[in-house]
Amino acid sequence: MSTPAPQPEHGTGTPPSYPLAEAGELSQLQGLHSAELTERYNASLMGVFGTPQRVLVRGSGCVVWDADGREYLDLLGGIAVNALGHAHPFLTSVVSSQLATLGHVSNFFTSPTQIALAEKLLALAQAPAGSKVFFANSGTEANEAAFKLARRNDGAGTGTPRTRIIALENAFHGRSMGALALTWKQAYREPFEPLPGGVEWVPAGDVEALRAAVDESVCAVFIEPIQGEAGVRGYPEGYLQAAREITRAAGALLVIDEVQTGIGRTGAWFASEGIEPDAITLAKGLGGGFPIGALLTFGERTSSLLSAGQHGTTFGGNPAATASALATLHVIETQGLLAHVREMDQLLTTGLGALDFVSDVRAHGLLVGFDLAAEAAPAVVRAGLEAGFILNSTGPASLRLAPPLIVTAGQLQRFIEALPGLYATATAQENPT
Ligand SMILES: *Cc1c(COP(=O)(O)O)cnc(C)c1O
């Protein structure tokens, strides 16, 4: 196993220099080590994320460095966000020049980047005439917009309000009150009740359960094409198609949450390709690291459910964010990254599948879940950090990878070769003899 050598520049020589250190407060932190920075973090940031695993100061491609100069191969990509890795030269230059030209305008105005991105997304989604886009700033906001859209669906203008929404068990749709109301995990929801009502959950992947739940009182069904937070889990063949037919027959909207799976992550622009949904929500990978979310609505009727004044956001679709997404889409397209992602899927499926302590490799492009023989996933994540790999566990025995779409075969091979050692370290810690 090759452990990346510590970067020589910190401690022994010049500390990494923070861009904008001259801008004030940041200069005080220049040269501080991880322990000191983490202490400052804990004293000043709300503890909702717990203590951060590392303090990161710099990135390049699929590699990041921490404040102590240690190097990591980033196999989580900011949770499926850093599609082009870190500090991608084209993305950096497009966003920088956009900021130097026009960074933000309110939604009393528009700008060419916003229009170009909306048109591009609709084209990629092969959306029919009359389809529209609403830009937000995150996945939760994209789903919040979809929630409001859903509540406007009375079933083709019947005038009879519909309030029931069907979501799936183990679904994750975000943390704002509306998106949270759609999210399955009780521990996330309960402390904040009452949440918007009308949401019911059915077992994921069960066509008959969905059919039984959806009638003409349902305004929408929300589905992730692959459940990411639940451990990268798909459904039996034909499930999404069945959901399409069931919702269409009842006049309910089919909302596909592609916040994690969209924009090339699975080796296709959208994981739900071929389904013809009524709405798709996007965020994570869309801006290549810049915050942006989007709601795509399909067809004239669905696209006019929200009328002027019924929804909005100050930052949504601003020139800098929409430029970041245009740059990201451009690189994915011109570098042939969709095909590359499918190749890397094969490599991981084969490589991980050959390890005797690994089971159920669920590779959907570069969104990958797999299970370990022992409940050692959090310990493997810790061992990974020590050895220079950023990983993620979605359960006691489940790991998730969502590396940049530009990750190389060599980098993935290095991880596959290191994994037995990480697992041995992790299980030795779990079962001390
Ligand atoms: C991450 C995620 C969200 C929430 O997105 P945020 O940008 O964190 O608000 C919603 N849905 C899915 C499927 C996600 O993976």
Side-chain angles (χ1 to χ4, degrees), residues 19-27:
L20 307 186
E22 68 273 20
E25 281 64 29
L26 194 53
S27 63

Side-chain angles (χ1 to χ4, degrees), residues 79-81 137-143 171-176 179 183 224-229 257-261 281 283-284 292 400:
I79 318 183
V81 166
N137 314 289
S138 66
T140 204
E141 284 175 76
N143 284 327
F172 182 83
H173 295 293
R175 303 283 204 152
S176 62
T183 291
E224 299 157 85
I226 297 153
Q227 293 187 319
E229 300 304 299
D257 179 348
E258 294 244 23
V259 167
Q260 188 155 163
T261 54
T281 54
K284 290 195 166 87
I292 180 167
R400 171 176 54 173

Side-chain angles (χ1 to χ4, degrees), residues 48-85:
V48 292
F49 301 105
T51 295
Q53 297 172 357
R54 290 292 188 272
V55 181
L56 302 177
V57 298
R58 188 160 69 86
S60 176
C62 298
V63 176
V64 290
W65 288 268
D66 72 14
D68 300 326
R70 288 189 293 182
E71 179 180 312
Y72 304 88
L73 178 61
D74 184 1
L75 295 174
L76 185 59
I79 318 183
V81 166
N82 297 94
L84 306 183

Side-chain angles (χ1 to χ4, degrees), residues 80-84 117 120-122 124-125 135 225 257-273 280-289 292-294 296 324-333 337-338 341 364 366 403-406:
V81 166
N82 297 94
L84 306 183
L117 180 61
K120 180 70 182 170
L121 288 173
L122 292 173
L124 291 175
F135 287 120
D257 179 348
E258 294 244 23
V259 167
Q260 188 155 163
T261 54
I263 311 301
R265 174 59 47 192
T266 67
W269 286 112
F270 303 95
S272 62
E273 251 167 46
I280 287 180
T281 54
L282 297 168
K284 290 195 166 87
L286 178 57
I292 180 167
L296 276 55
S324 76
L326 283 169
T328 302
L329 297 174
H330 180 79
V331 173
I332 292 173
E333 204 158 43
L337 289 183
L338 299 184
V341 167
H364 299 268
L366 281 172
L405 307 185
I406 59 169

